[in-house]
Amino acid sequence: MREKRSARREFLRNSAALAGGVTLSAAAPAFGQAPNQSPMIKGEREGEIGYGARSKYITSARIPHGSRHTPDNFGLTFHVATPLQDQVGVVTPTSLHYYATTRGSYLPDIDPAKHTLMIHGLVDRPLTFNVDDLKRLPSVTRLHFIECAGNRASRSAKTVQETHGMTSNAEWTGVLLSTLLKECGLKGSAKWFVAEGSEEVKGASSMPVAKAMDDCFVAYGMNGEAVRPQNGFPMRLMVPGFEGILHTKWVQRIKLVDRYYMNYNDFGHLDQEQKVAALDYQIGPKSVITYPSGAQRLPGKGFYEIRGLAWSGGGAIKQVEVSTDGGKKWNKAQFQGTPQRMAHCLFTYGWQWDGNETEILSRCVDEIGQAQPTREQIAKYWNKTFDQTFSVPGLDNSVQPWKIAKDGSVTNGFA
Amino acid sequence: MALRKVLPIAFPLLLMSVPVLAQGPTYGIGRTPTAEEIRARDISIGPTGEELPPGKGSAKEGALVYRSKGCAGCHGVNGTGGAAPILKSMDPTNPDVWARGRILPLRAPFATTVWDYINRGMPLNREGTLTPDEVYGLTAYLLFINGVIPEDQVLDQKNLAAVKMPLGDKYAALPEWKPRTPRLKGYPY
């Protein structure tokens, strides 16, 4: 065996030397000669044999959302937005998944051997679970988006990363909260639960037990590996379709209670108006064109595949339409793959650009019939004048227009 | 004959045992925490205040804590003028609490919310270091400077939840959530 292996190495060395020779003499390849080669990465670069990295030519990155820098002067991290304009396919790469913290937070550096989730309150049997306990239990693996409540397009936003980058989509693996609650024996008087994280402020949110029993789960896996620290390592709560802050990261405690508890994050959610409160909870149907999108430039007239993402907190997306003439005519877009419930789905629409100035938009409808509105429609609903000062109450799921100029430059239609 | 005698007794027994069985653990995975462990971790203070620890504090004591713990550094000397959110209304005579801004010790529907917030989230970078007496004192101080309680009122485990907050019930409760239901019927049309 050992001899065979060394013989193989010898062969590889010789081949490499030969390949090197070819490259050197191939400045101007003669007829029949192998074409010129790109430079090769030889051996290991920065530990990439163990854990791969992307090409050095790909520089797509997250950016701080809004005006607050991350990390700030105290080393606290706040909100960073995902580069949706660069995303290929429907899954957000883990390294580019948007990231947000309750108030600005240090990243908890948790030893999973020391971390437990405690479930207590209105249950027959309080229990604690560590990651190994969770991995023994029946699991679910589901594609879900998460979106921050502050994900709204301002007039000054230039790119889709700035207008919509506070949402991302990943494949999550974990144990249904209903499985854990049945293990604890849920009491009939339990109507709400409070989920609490392990960051320094221990952000806590009240949520309905009906949601816990429907589809919440405690995730330990993300896109095929352990959940990363920025996303809640070693475990986070998934609350599919609800606003991002409720997906409690580094979850350490779930308390079953009989009423809305009005704890830390709940105070931030306090609304005066019943309707706004309703719109500030479950994410509405939303879509956006990511290509072509703001700050990109079409090189000339001709064919372009318009691509975008659509999602809803109400379920799966049923239909997406694209307009390439400012909203006069709407055309049915195609889905790439089957839309999943409370997950981004990828839509495409083939378009011939005639080189004239225009505006492109997308809109969607979800499986329970909720339709994505325009800002004009929202203003009309609230009996408000639609002008530059109008701000969408609750979570903003309005249609995003992209203007295309004669020179092919793409800009925010709200600007 | 024997069976007939047994049945009337066995039936009620069976009915009684069914719900108990259905609620038993299926997998037997997870560890039972001690009452002590639960108490140590349970920092969620609900509107009834049942989780509050023993302790007490007045506005005067709280004012001293506010200075000694560096609260003024971020929130300003008297709850205004700092880089962090303001803690005292700039418009104290306005009867509309909502119009007076997002001020925790004013807009919070329960005094327990103020206590919970300070206890888990303050001071920045030293969260979890305040003693219960200090949190009672700070809560009393912030409620006092907003005119919610008198300066000499001592807040404690027993009376904190009974403090009447100016917002009352003038805030929106969340709608009852059901799966596969629109977030707001008729929206936006």
Side-chain angles (χ1 to χ4, degrees):
Chain A
M1 273 302 277
R2 203 164 279 168
E3 271 166 39
K4 250 190 202 170
R5 260 192 215 160
S6 68
R8 188 163 178 276
R9 278 199 200 113
E10 189 69 15
F11 168 75
L12 286 172
R13 254 202 300 277
N14 290 341
S15 315
L18 200 64
V22 168
T23 311
L24 278 175
S25 61
F31 181 75
Q33 212 171 358
N36 208 347
Q37 293 271 24
S38 301
M40 296 291 169
I41 298 166
K42 289 173 184 159
E44 189 173 14
R45 194 179 67 184
E46 292 165 29
E48 283 176 33
I49 298 296
Y51 200 91
R54 62 185 177 177
S55 162
K56 67 179 179 186
Y57 299 104
I58 299 297
T59 54
S60 178
R62 296 182 294 197
I63 54 169
H65 176 72
S67 54
R68 185 162 165 185
H69 198 262
T70 282
D72 69 5
N73 293 337
F74 299 102
L76 297 166
T77 53
F78 196 50
H79 290 18
V80 290
T82 195
L84 292 176
Q85 68 278 13
D86 302 323
Q87 187 173 308
V88 181
V90 79
V91 171
T92 309
T94 304
S95 300
L96 298 174
H97 197 284
Y98 97 85
Y99 169 43
T101 59
T102 294
R103 160 194 87 179
S105 161
Y106 298 116
L107 196 58
D109 190 11
I110 297 172
D111 176 354
K114 292 178 185 150
H115 183 89
T116 56
L117 165 63
M118 179 188 282
I119 300 180
H120 71 113
L122 298 173
V123 291
D124 294 329
R125 296 170 296 276
L127 287 171
T128 65
F129 300 91
N130 61 27
V131 179
D132 290 338
D133 293 331
L134 293 185
K135 285 181 178 171
R136 286 174 61 184
L137 288 163
S139 63
V140 292
T141 291
R142 292 173 183 173
L143 202 62
H144 283 305
F145 77 85
I146 305 181
E147 180 173 17
C148 177
N151 200 27
R152 52 174 67 224
S154 72
R155 287 172 57 204
S156 58
K158 302 241 178 321
T159 65
V160 70
Q161 182 168 19
E162 291 166 328
T163 60
H164 289 72
M166 293 303 286
T167 182
S168 295
N169 194 52
E171 187 195 73
W172 301 92
T173 295
V175 179
L176 284 172
L177 187 50
S178 61
T179 302
L180 301 177
L181 293 181
K182 281 173 199 159
E183 207 64 10
C184 295
L186 190 64
K187 285 192 201 292
S189 51
K191 299 293 176 215
W192 296 86
F193 69 98
V194 181
E196 180 182 277
S198 322
E199 73 276 33
E200 67 270 30
V201 299
K202 300 189 173 42
S205 305
S206 302
M207 288 169 265
V209 159
K211 182 66 178 171
M213 297 307 285
D214 187 46
D215 60 359
C216 288
F217 58 102
V218 179
Y220 50 79
M222 177 186 186
N223 289 340
E225 61 179 355
V227 170
R228 298 249 184 111
Q230 292 179 337
N231 307 102
F233 181 81
M235 51 179 85
R236 84 173 302 168
L237 185 67
M238 291 298 295
V239 191
F242 276 33
E243 70 175 56
I245 195 170
L246 302 172
H247 296 61
T248 316
K249 293 195 280 193
W250 318 290
V251 65
Q252 63 169 9
R253 198 161 64 88
I254 287 175
K255 180 176 185 175
L256 280 300
V257 293
D258 61 352
R259 67 192 73 195
Y260 195 77
Y261 242 43
M262 208 57 83
N263 279 173
Y264 195 89
N265 293 335
D266 301 331
F267 174 69
H269 273 99
L270 206 59
D271 279 309
Q272 188 173 10
E273 271 235 38
Q274 205 79 44
K275 285 178 178 175
V276 178
L279 293 173
D280 248 343
Y281 214 39
Q282 182 176 298
I283 307 268
K286 191 164 176 177
S287 72
V288 67
I289 294 171
T290 55
Y291 175 80
S293 62
Q296 293 177 342
R297 195 188 194 92
L298 306 182
K301 62 181 181 183
F303 182 81
Y304 294 91
E305 185 185 65
I306 290 176
R307 285 187 285 270
L309 299 168
W311 63 97
S312 172
I317 292 296
K318 204 174 158 194
Q319 181 180 276
V320 177
E321 289 171 306
V322 168
S323 171
T324 57
D325 59 3
K328 289 196 260 315
K329 185 171 176 275
W330 289 92
N331 316 284
K332 211 171 154 182
Q334 280 196 316
F335 291 124
Q336 303 302 319
T338 308
Q340 308 287 304
R341 302 191 72 237
M342 286 78 85
H344 286 177
C345 67
L346 180 63
F347 67 84
T348 59
Y349 175 72
W351 176 48
Q352 285 286 344
W353 183 43
D354 60 11
N356 288 320
E357 190 179 303
T358 190
E359 195 171 75
I360 58 171
L361 322 99
S362 67
R363 67 181 185 192
C364 66
V365 178
D366 69 14
E367 65 176 302
I368 56 171
Q370 297 184 109
Q372 182 184 14
T374 61
R375 288 195 174 170
E376 289 92 322
Q377 287 171 318
I378 295 170
K380 204 175 163 198
Y381 175 85
W382 293 99
N383 288 319
K384 295 257 171 69
T385 318
F386 178 68
D387 58 22
Q388 301 282 29
T389 64
F390 176 71
S391 172
V392 176
L395 299 162
D396 183 357
N397 65 327
S398 58
V399 168
Q400 171 69 42
W402 297 118
K403 270 187 199 141
I404 297 176
K406 265 188 186 310
D407 66 358
S409 59
V410 189
T411 53
N412 183 356
F414 291 130
Chain B
M1 276 303 277
L3 200 65
R4 249 191 228 168
K5 265 186 189 167
V6 168
L7 272 177
I9 305 164
F11 255 108
L13 272 178
L14 203 68
L15 284 172
M16 276 165 66
S17 65
V18 162
V20 176
L21 278 177
Q23 287 178 6
T26 310
Y27 305 102
I29 291 173
R31 189 181 64 80
T32 303
T34 64
E36 196 50 40
E37 282 177 283
I38 296 175
R39 215 158 50 89
R41 274 217 222 173
D42 188 5
I43 57 165
S44 280
I45 315 296
T48 65
E50 64 193 63
E51 299 93 345
L52 283 167
K56 61 181 170 47
S58 67
K60 275 189 181 146
E61 289 157 341
L64 295 175
V65 179
Y66 188 84
R67 270 192 288 273
S68 67
K69 294 289 171 182
C71 310
C74 298
H75 293 283
V77 179
N78 297 308
T80 57
I86 61 166
L87 297 171
K88 185 180 185 297
S89 176
M90 313 279 260
D91 185 15
T93 53
N94 192 332
D96 180 1
V97 178
W98 282 97
R100 287 196 254 168
R102 195 152 113 179
I103 298 163
L104 176 71
L106 188 66
R107 190 187 276 187
F110 309 103
T112 50
T113 303
V114 182
W115 202 100
D116 176 279
Y117 203 109
I118 297 170
N119 183 53
R120 75 169 69 230
M122 295 295 149
L124 186 67
N125 298 340
R126 299 194 307 282
E127 296 84 355
T129 60
L130 296 173
T131 65
D133 281 354
E134 288 169 341
V135 182
Y136 282 110
L138 284 169
T139 305
Y141 172 64
L142 296 180
L143 293 179
F144 162 65
I145 62 172
N146 282 286
V148 181
I149 61 167
E151 188 167 23
D152 57 358
Q153 186 172 342
V154 178
L155 293 180
D156 61 26
Q157 188 184 19
K158 295 274 180 293
N159 68 8
L160 179 76
V163 171
K164 204 175 160 343
M165 295 299 289
L167 189 67
D169 59 359
K170 290 191 282 294
Y171 64 94
L174 282 162
E176 191 191 345
W177 183 84
K178 287 184 187 128
R180 292 161 184 83
T181 306
R183 54 186 189 147
L184 177 60
K185 245 195 155 116
Y187 182 82
Y189 304 112

